[in-house]
Amino acid sequence: MTDFFRQKFAQVTNPPIDPLREAIVMSLETCCGAELNVFKATPEHAHRLILTTPVLSPRKFTALVSQDDPAFASHTLSLGYDPEQQSLHQALKALCAEAEAQVRAGKVILVLTDAELAKGLIPIQAALAVGAVHSHLGRLALRPNANIVVETGYARDAHQMAVLFGVGATAVYPWLAYQVMADMHRIGELTGNPADGRENYRKGLQKGLFKILSKMGISTLASYRGSMLFEAVGLSDEVMDLCFVGMASRIQGAGFAELQMQQALLAKDAWTPRKGISQGGMFKYVHGHEYHAYNPDVVMTLQAAVQEGSYTKWKKFAQLVNERPVATIRDLLKLKPAETPLALEEVEPIEDLLPRFDSAGMSLGALA
């Protein structure tokens, strides 16, 4: 789901904030508890739980959701739904209604979880659920009264975490990542103390989050949370209007029906015992899986054409690129020939064009 989102960044030629050299001004500190009137100062304003990082460890997650203090009362909302009984759109509406009811009943920490789903249920994508609940509570002026904690198996890397925080999550507990790490320790693929491994994993995520925040000149996660600082590519207006209010989506695409179908296909594979787990080839090229623009055939053909000076192999390389499946937005575009061709003598010669080129207005740092 997070692959639909492109991170925004400040349009300058140098980084707005250097997350390494200016780390002293950056913070991922997260407060849990209802937000009170900012124009008054009372002892109750200090009654908050402080998290040094929004990526929760198993121990912190357990402690957070088991508080006896009514100021941090929690309620768990399952993201699973039966596609035979309701659609994804209906499930999101029901989730928002339940979240509203729990907040009005005094619950402060809402835990959205896709863990322990029974067979026959499919999960609402975590980003959709967080965005819908965040926007719904915001419209009702209830969002300051609640925190949204996401217990999800989907979020694994910094971008996926950033999307969840950007659409309104307070904290994230990546349960599947921890289970995978535990299994890798069990079979010997990872060595050392498992607790140290989880800590290193969280440190890596935190550095990634710092880098994402710094690209927009934002120094604290509190300023990034709920900011919707993304541009959606390929999501329909029905999804944006319900789940990602205020975020731009200039290119239409998948609606609730398509997103539900994707989850149904994943669930079908997950509940087929004889079918092994596929790595998918998203990051590393795997034959027969995700298409890569720079796949071995393209790279090797280009190298052979250059090294041998063979125009025949160059044409083969061009064919591989020009006739590839859709991999980028530009693959969906084509040149539209003019109805009446322009006379060649009306085309301005290159000698007249070059004097108008000027690079002095660009920062030299961008050219370094």
Short mmCIF file of all heavy atoms in Angstrom, two decimals, residues 333-358:
data_model
loop_
_atom_site.label_atom_id
_atom_site.label_comp_id
_atom_site.label_asym_id
_atom_site.label_seq_id
_atom_site.Cartn_x
_atom_site.Cartn_y
_atom_site.Cartn_z
N LEU A 333 2.98 7.04 -21.53
CA LEU A 333 2.87 8.20 -22.41
C LEU A 333 3.41 7.87 -23.80
O LEU A 333 4.26 7.00 -23.96
CB LEU A 333 3.65 9.38 -21.82
CG LEU A 333 3.31 9.79 -20.38
CD1 LEU A 333 4.23 10.91 -19.92
CD2 LEU A 333 1.86 10.22 -20.27
N LYS A 334 2.91 8.58 -24.78
CA LYS A 334 3.45 8.45 -26.13
C LYS A 334 3.35 9.80 -26.84
O LYS A 334 2.53 10.65 -26.48
CB LYS A 334 2.72 7.37 -26.92
CG LYS A 334 1.26 7.66 -27.20
CD LYS A 334 0.63 6.54 -28.03
CE LYS A 334 -0.83 6.84 -28.34
NZ LYS A 334 -1.45 5.75 -29.15
N LEU A 335 4.19 9.98 -27.83
CA LEU A 335 4.18 11.23 -28.58
C LEU A 335 2.93 11.32 -29.45
O LEU A 335 2.51 10.33 -30.06
CB LEU A 335 5.43 11.32 -29.46
CG LEU A 335 6.77 11.41 -28.71
CD1 LEU A 335 7.93 11.36 -29.70
CD2 LEU A 335 6.84 12.67 -27.87
N LYS A 336 2.36 12.50 -29.48
CA LYS A 336 1.18 12.72 -30.30
C LYS A 336 1.59 13.55 -31.52
O LYS A 336 1.93 14.73 -31.39
CB LYS A 336 0.12 13.47 -29.50
CG LYS A 336 -1.17 13.72 -30.26
CD LYS A 336 -2.18 14.46 -29.39
CE LYS A 336 -3.46 14.73 -30.16
NZ LYS A 336 -4.45 15.47 -29.32
N PRO A 337 1.60 12.95 -32.69
CA PRO A 337 2.03 13.70 -33.88
C PRO A 337 1.05 14.81 -34.22
O PRO A 337 -0.16 14.69 -34.00
CB PRO A 337 2.06 12.63 -34.98
CG PRO A 337 1.15 11.55 -34.48
CD PRO A 337 1.23 11.56 -33.00
N ALA A 338 1.61 15.90 -34.72
CA ALA A 338 0.77 17.04 -35.11
C ALA A 338 -0.04 16.70 -36.35
O ALA A 338 0.40 15.92 -37.21
CB ALA A 338 1.64 18.26 -35.37
N GLU A 339 -1.23 17.26 -36.42
CA GLU A 339 -2.06 17.01 -37.59
C GLU A 339 -1.42 17.59 -38.85
O GLU A 339 -1.48 17.00 -39.93
CB GLU A 339 -3.45 17.62 -37.37
CG GLU A 339 -4.23 16.96 -36.23
CD GLU A 339 -5.60 17.57 -36.06
OE1 GLU A 339 -5.94 18.50 -36.84
OE2 GLU A 339 -6.33 17.13 -35.16
N THR A 340 -0.79 18.77 -38.68
CA THR A 340 -0.11 19.40 -39.81
C THR A 340 1.36 19.58 -39.44
O THR A 340 1.68 20.37 -38.55
CB THR A 340 -0.72 20.77 -40.13
OG1 THR A 340 -2.12 20.62 -40.37
CG2 THR A 340 -0.04 21.39 -41.35
N PRO A 341 2.27 18.86 -40.08
CA PRO A 341 3.70 18.99 -39.74
C PRO A 341 4.20 20.41 -39.96
O PRO A 341 3.76 21.11 -40.89
CB PRO A 341 4.38 18.01 -40.71
CG PRO A 341 3.29 17.06 -41.13
CD PRO A 341 2.03 17.87 -41.13
N LEU A 342 5.12 20.84 -39.09
CA LEU A 342 5.70 22.17 -39.20
C LEU A 342 6.75 22.17 -40.30
O LEU A 342 7.58 21.25 -40.38
CB LEU A 342 6.33 22.57 -37.86
CG LEU A 342 6.85 24.00 -37.75
CD1 LEU A 342 5.70 24.99 -37.82
CD2 LEU A 342 7.62 24.17 -36.44
N ALA A 343 6.72 23.18 -41.11
CA ALA A 343 7.70 23.28 -42.19
C ALA A 343 9.11 23.40 -41.61
O ALA A 343 9.32 24.10 -40.62
CB ALA A 343 7.39 24.48 -43.08
N LEU A 344 10.06 22.72 -42.21
CA LEU A 344 11.42 22.67 -41.68
C LEU A 344 12.05 24.05 -41.61
O LEU A 344 12.80 24.36 -40.68
CB LEU A 344 12.27 21.73 -42.54
CG LEU A 344 13.64 21.36 -41.96
CD1 LEU A 344 13.48 20.66 -40.62
CD2 LEU A 344 14.41 20.47 -42.93
N GLU A 345 11.74 24.91 -42.57
CA GLU A 345 12.35 26.24 -42.57
C GLU A 345 11.81 27.12 -41.43
O GLU A 345 12.39 28.16 -41.10
CB GLU A 345 12.12 26.94 -43.91
CG GLU A 345 10.67 27.06 -44.34
CD GLU A 345 10.22 25.84 -45.14
OE1 GLU A 345 10.96 24.82 -45.14
OE2 GLU A 345 9.16 25.91 -45.77
N GLU A 346 10.70 26.70 -40.80
CA GLU A 346 10.16 27.46 -39.68
C GLU A 346 10.75 27.03 -38.34
O GLU A 346 10.50 27.67 -37.31
CB GLU A 346 8.64 27.30 -39.63
CG GLU A 346 7.91 27.88 -40.83
CD GLU A 346 6.41 27.74 -40.71
OE1 GLU A 346 5.92 27.70 -39.56
OE2 GLU A 346 5.72 27.65 -41.74
N VAL A 347 11.53 25.96 -38.33
CA VAL A 347 12.16 25.48 -37.10
C VAL A 347 13.39 26.34 -36.81
O VAL A 347 14.24 26.52 -37.68
CB VAL A 347 12.56 24.00 -37.22
CG1 VAL A 347 13.27 23.54 -35.95
CG2 VAL A 347 11.33 23.15 -37.50
N GLU A 348 13.49 26.85 -35.60
CA GLU A 348 14.60 27.73 -35.24
C GLU A 348 15.90 26.95 -35.19
O GLU A 348 15.97 25.88 -34.57
CB GLU A 348 14.32 28.37 -33.87
CG GLU A 348 15.24 29.53 -33.55
CD GLU A 348 14.79 30.27 -32.29
OE1 GLU A 348 13.84 29.81 -31.63
OE2 GLU A 348 15.40 31.32 -31.99
N PRO A 349 16.95 27.44 -35.82
CA PRO A 349 18.23 26.71 -35.82
C PRO A 349 18.87 26.71 -34.44
O PRO A 349 18.63 27.58 -33.61
CB PRO A 349 19.08 27.49 -36.83
CG PRO A 349 18.49 28.86 -36.84
CD PRO A 349 17.01 28.67 -36.62
N ILE A 350 19.72 25.70 -34.21
CA ILE A 350 20.35 25.54 -32.90
C ILE A 350 21.26 26.71 -32.56
O ILE A 350 21.44 27.06 -31.39
CB ILE A 350 21.12 24.20 -32.85
CG1 ILE A 350 21.57 23.92 -31.41
CG2 ILE A 350 22.30 24.21 -33.82
CD1 ILE A 350 22.16 22.53 -31.24
N GLU A 351 21.85 27.34 -33.57
CA GLU A 351 22.73 28.49 -33.31
C GLU A 351 21.98 29.64 -32.65
O GLU A 351 22.57 30.43 -31.90
CB GLU A 351 23.38 28.96 -34.62
CG GLU A 351 24.36 27.99 -35.25
CD GLU A 351 23.66 26.87 -36.01
OE1 GLU A 351 22.43 26.98 -36.22
OE2 GLU A 351 24.35 25.90 -36.39
N ASP A 352 20.69 29.77 -32.93
CA ASP A 352 19.89 30.83 -32.31
C ASP A 352 19.37 30.43 -30.93
O ASP A 352 19.04 31.29 -30.11
CB ASP A 352 18.71 31.20 -33.21
CG ASP A 352 19.16 31.81 -34.53
OD1 ASP A 352 20.31 32.31 -34.57
OD2 ASP A 352 18.38 31.77 -35.50
N LEU A 353 19.30 29.13 -30.67
CA LEU A 353 18.78 28.65 -29.39
C LEU A 353 19.83 28.72 -28.28
O LEU A 353 19.54 29.14 -27.16
CB LEU A 353 18.28 27.21 -29.52
CG LEU A 353 16.99 26.98 -30.31
CD1 LEU A 353 16.73 25.49 -30.46
CD2 LEU A 353 15.80 27.63 -29.60
N LEU A 354 21.05 28.32 -28.58
CA LEU A 354 22.07 28.19 -27.55
C LEU A 354 22.37 29.49 -26.81
O LEU A 354 22.58 29.46 -25.59
CB LEU A 354 23.35 27.62 -28.16
CG LEU A 354 23.28 26.14 -28.57
CD1 LEU A 354 24.59 25.69 -29.18
CD2 LEU A 354 22.94 25.26 -27.38
N PRO A 355 22.42 30.65 -27.46
CA PRO A 355 22.71 31.89 -26.70
C PRO A 355 21.69 32.20 -25.61
O PRO A 355 21.98 32.95 -24.69
CB PRO A 355 22.71 32.97 -27.79
CG PRO A 355 23.05 32.24 -29.04
CD PRO A 355 22.38 30.91 -28.91
N ARG A 356 20.50 31.62 -25.70
CA ARG A 356 19.47 31.91 -24.69
C ARG A 356 19.58 30.98 -23.49
O ARG A 356 18.86 31.15 -22.51
CB ARG A 356 18.08 31.78 -25.32
CG ARG A 356 17.82 32.78 -26.44
CD ARG A 356 16.33 33.05 -26.60
NE ARG A 356 15.59 31.87 -26.99
CZ ARG A 356 15.37 31.50 -28.25
NH1 ARG A 356 15.87 32.22 -29.25
NH2 ARG A 356 14.67 30.44 -28.52
N PHE A 357 20.44 29.98 -23.56
CA PHE A 357 20.63 29.07 -22.42
C PHE A 357 21.42 29.78 -21.33
O PHE A 357 22.42 30.43 -21.60
CB PHE A 357 21.39 27.81 -22.86
CG PHE A 357 20.53 26.82 -23.61
CD1 PHE A 357 19.36 27.23 -24.22
CD2 PHE A 357 20.88 25.49 -23.70
CE1 PHE A 357 18.56 26.33 -24.91
CE2 PHE A 357 20.10 24.58 -24.39
CZ PHE A 357 18.93 25.01 -25.01
N ASP A 358 20.97 29.64 -20.09
CA ASP A 358 21.64 30.32 -18.98
C ASP A 358 21.63 29.40 -17.77
O ASP A 358 20.58 28.92 -17.35
CB ASP A 358 20.91 31.63 -18.66
CG ASP A 358 21.58 32.38 -17.53
OD1 ASP A 358 22.76 32.11 -17.26
OD2 ASP A 358 20.92 33.23 -16.91
#
